[in-house]
Amino acid sequence: MRPHQLPATPGRPAPGAIGHNRGVVRPNYAFMPPEGVLVSRLPHLDDTVVRVLAAPVLGARFAQYLLEIEPKGGTPVPFREDGIQHFYYVLSGTGRFAIGDAAAMELRPGSFAYVPPGTAFSLRNTGSEQLRVLGLRKRYEAVGLPQPDPILSHRDEVPVTNHTGMDGRGFQFLLPRGDMRFDFEMNLMWFKPGAYFPDVETHVMEHGLYMLEGQGLYFLGTEWHEIWAGDFIWMGGFCPQQYYPTGFGDAAYLLYKNVNRDVAL
């Protein structure tokens, strides 16, 4: 306890600064720490707290969620949406995921699933602890190619690459990179202490970034923000951005970006 700090009263916040907030929402980006993201619920998910991280009302062209699924919770029946594709990544807990008529896969931290548009799937917590999952929905941009195949896998089955040639940076492409059937990527980005973006990036792709571990400084627009595990960032197209990890350990985040499609006019 700091000098002159009064103890907290049960059921009441501790005395101190009112309204301290790390979060920022700008026209072309948003930085949202978890303490400010309120709970919601959805009718197709039983015993599940939903925290909406990104949505069109924010400016994003996709929706991203943190799902907190209690034991025996999840989809009571298979769920599907015409024209909408889904992606899920397990943060903690255990469960089971099934796509269409394929055999279900047991889930553990690092498991992920891609669900093609219009395909039914089920997600259930089969363990005794809460199952925490990142979810993403995006309307599929068809261009005359066959739609992608479903994917059920684990990050341990995906090689770590370094296509930039910069020491200390690793990439895991959870969806097949360069496959034109896909209109977005989901990548795990790894940073050793001291590694960083060599330049401030300004490009057309938008991003949804969820910090998985470690900490660092993220440049957005004209401001630096200190981020750590559990924080979320939305970046619109052409938002200036750069990342510099801090701390003594590795840093990692899961990154969404839209790719492989021309600009809509």
Side-chain angles (χ1 to χ4, degrees), residues 92-208:
S92 63
T94 58
R96 185 172 297 156
F97 202 103
I99 303 176
D101 297 327
M105 183 182 80
E106 299 299 318
L107 300 175
R108 57 190 173 95
S111 297
F112 64 92
Y114 170 77
V115 182
T119 304
F121 70 93
S122 62
L123 167 61
R124 300 288 298 177
N125 182 346
T126 57
S128 58
E129 304 292 335
Q130 187 182 81
L131 173 63
R132 298 174 65 248
V133 180
L134 287 174
L136 182 138
R137 296 167 58 238
K138 181 183 184 297
R139 183 167 294 279
Y140 184 62
E141 300 177 55
V143 289
L145 298 173
Q147 70 180 27
D149 298 320
I151 296 174
L152 279 171
S153 190
H154 189 276
R155 75 182 189 191
D156 290 349
E157 300 177 18
V158 180
V160 178
T161 65
N162 183 3
H163 67 282
T164 67
M166 299 293 294
D167 290 343
R169 294 179 65 189
F171 301 77
Q172 286 179 283
F173 300 102
L174 303 186
L175 301 181
R177 186 167 184 252
D179 187 334
M180 292 294 125
R181 296 177 301 166
F182 288 89
D183 61 8
F184 73 94
E185 290 182 359
M186 293 297 289
N187 304 326
L188 286 172
M189 313 285 285
W190 298 89
F191 296 83
K192 294 291 184 183
Y196 60 92
F197 287 13
D199 302 288
V200 175
E201 297 183 358
T202 309
H203 52 68
V204 69
M205 286 83 80
E206 72 170 333
H207 291 310

Side-chain angles (χ1 to χ4, degrees), residues 188-191 210-215 243 250-254:
L188 286 172
M189 313 285 285
W190 298 89
F191 296 83
Y210 188 88
M211 196 72 178
L212 296 173
E213 58 184 82
Q215 65 185 74
Y243 178 62
D250 291 355
Y253 54 72
L254 180 66

Side-chain angles (χ1 to χ4, degrees), residues 4 24-25 56 69 118 142 210:
H4 310 302
V24 173
V25 177
I69 308 171
Y210 188 88

Side-chain angles (χ1 to χ4, degrees), residues 226-243:
E226 188 171 17
I227 68 170
W228 49 78
D231 289 341
F232 178 80
I233 297 173
W234 166 70
M235 291 167 267
F238 297 108
C239 172
Q241 57 190 273
Q242 187 178 29
Y243 178 62

